[in-house]
């Protein structure tokens, strides 16, 4: 019940295309859903995050869509660029209200390659 | 300043060595974390400190010994490690009671 399932494992997109990564969870106590971007040899960097009270959040070319009833959330990268090539991790935590805000449960990651 | 720094960037050690990893942040965060990340895997939580006190130990072997000497510093002392402990060790920090964790660049550890 603590798992976050992420798909696809890898994704190849042409420059200018849309990259879509999906995550699903089962624990209804999860209250905070961040996406992290990680380049090789670097630490994960917070990209964008959402809470269940909104269905969509957009920051520049990055959008999170959230479906509370389906317990799914996804990351959309519009106008994908070669510089977006990285590993993307979705994550979830119970958040402050859940009392265990420290424990992020990560998906297994998606390796995105954007071809020029 | 929104940066978490980690030193060294790379560390190679033998199984009988004692070494330490260092993490520092000046964002006023009072929660600090150690994660271990193997290649092509997500980060795995090891320890959490809150207000300089250890609050979570994810059943980590005693050859890893964390220390939080003050609100800006977090150390991970290493002793008698095994080759399978080779990984990227990540430090992160957050405000206590806040959800967003900020990660450092990591220390790439190789145990020979």
């Amino acid at each position: 019940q603590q798992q976050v399932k992420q798909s696809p494992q890898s994704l190849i997109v042409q420059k200018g295309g849309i990259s879509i990564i999906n995550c699903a969870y089962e624990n209804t106590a999860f209250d905070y859903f961040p996406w992290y971007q990680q380049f090789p040899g670097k630490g994960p960097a917070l990209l964008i995050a959402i809470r269940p009270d909104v269905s969509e959040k957009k920051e520049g070319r990055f959008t999170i869509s959230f479906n509370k009833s389906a317990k799914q959330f996804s990351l959309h990268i519009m106008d994908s660029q070669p510089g977006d090539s990285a590993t993307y991790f979705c994550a979830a935590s119970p958040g402050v209200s859940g009392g265990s805000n420290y424990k992020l449960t990560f998906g297994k990651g998606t390796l995105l390659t954007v071809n020029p | 300043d929104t940066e978490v720094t980690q030193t060294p960037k790379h560390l190679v050690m033998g199984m009988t060595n004692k070494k330490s990893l260092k993490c520092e942040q000046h964002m006023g965060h009072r929660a600090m974390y150690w994660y271990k990340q193997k290649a092509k895997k997500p980060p795995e939580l090891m320890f959490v400190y809150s207000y300089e006190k250890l609050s979570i130990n994810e059943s980590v072997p005693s050859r890893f010994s964390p220390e939080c000497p003050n609100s800006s510093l977090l150390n991970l002392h290493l002793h008698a490690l095994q080759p399978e402990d080779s990984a990227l060790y990540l430090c992160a920090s957050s405000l206590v009671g806040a959800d967003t964790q900020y990660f450092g660049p990591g220390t790439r550890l190789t145990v020979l």
Side-chain angles (χ1 to χ4, degrees):
Chain A
Q1 194 174 15
Q2 289 296 321
Q3 283 186 331
V4 176
K5 295 183 180 180
Q6 183 172 347
S7 63
Q9 188 174 349
S10 62
L11 179 62
I12 299 174
V13 174
Q14 291 299 119
K15 179 182 175 182
I18 301 173
S19 304
I20 302 174
I21 304 170
N22 300 300
C23 286
Y25 64 98
E26 295 184 359
N27 187 349
T28 54
F30 286 148
D31 192 48
Y32 173 70
F33 303 88
W35 284 89
Y36 283 88
Q37 178 190 57
Q38 186 174 26
F39 293 104
K42 304 294 183 183
L46 179 68
L47 198 58
I48 188 171
I50 199 168
R51 297 187 190 279
D53 53 345
V54 296
S55 60
E56 186 175 283
K57 183 175 181 179
K58 183 176 180 179
E59 290 185 2
R61 297 185 293 111
F62 301 93
T63 299
I64 298 180
S65 296
F66 188 85
N67 186 329
K68 187 174 181 178
S69 60
K71 290 184 282 187
Q72 295 175 349
F73 58 110
S74 60
L75 176 69
H76 296 235
I77 305 174
M78 311 300 288
D79 187 26
S80 298
Q81 300 296 311
D84 297 330
S85 298
T87 299
Y88 292 81
F89 292 99
C90 64
S93 83
V96 175
S97 60
S100 302
N101 56 299
Y102 303 120
K103 300 191 76 170
L104 282 171
T105 300
F106 284 90
K108 291 191 174 182
T110 296
L111 178 61
L112 171 66
T113 302
V114 181
N115 288 328
Chain B
D1 184 1
T2 59
E3 191 178 22
V4 176
T5 59
Q6 291 186 245
T7 54
K9 289 185 179 180
H10 303 276
L11 179 62
V12 179
M13 60 186 292
M15 290 190 286
T16 59
N17 292 159
K18 286 185 180 181
K19 296 287 185 182
S20 297
L21 310 184
K22 179 181 173 181
C23 172
E24 192 166 4
Q25 55 86 18
H26 296 288
M27 295 181 278
H29 292 173
R30 299 299 293 277
M32 296 186 76
Y33 314 75
W34 280 115
Y35 287 84
K36 173 183 177 180
Q37 187 178 28
K38 301 284 273 186
K40 301 189 179 183
K41 299 289 186 184
E44 297 175 32
L45 184 65
M46 300 174 71
F47 302 104
V48 181
Y49 274 82
S50 178
Y51 296 112
E52 295 84 67
K53 294 190 187 312
L54 183 65
S55 61
I56 295 177
N57 176 340
E58 290 287 289
S59 302
V60 178
S62 60
R63 58 186 183 268
F64 295 92
S65 175
E67 177 195 21
C68 190
N70 61 54
S71 60
S72 300
L73 281 175
L74 185 66
N75 298 319
L76 186 63
H77 303 297
L78 314 172
H79 173 56
L81 294 192
Q82 304 297 309
E84 58 265 30
D85 295 322
S86 298
L88 182 68
Y89 287 84
L90 295 163
C91 173
S93 71
S94 74
L95 292 169
V96 174
D99 296 314
T100 302
Q101 294 184 23
Y102 297 90
F103 284 83
T107 293
R108 174 71 61 190
L109 175 67
T110 303
V111 182
L112 301 177

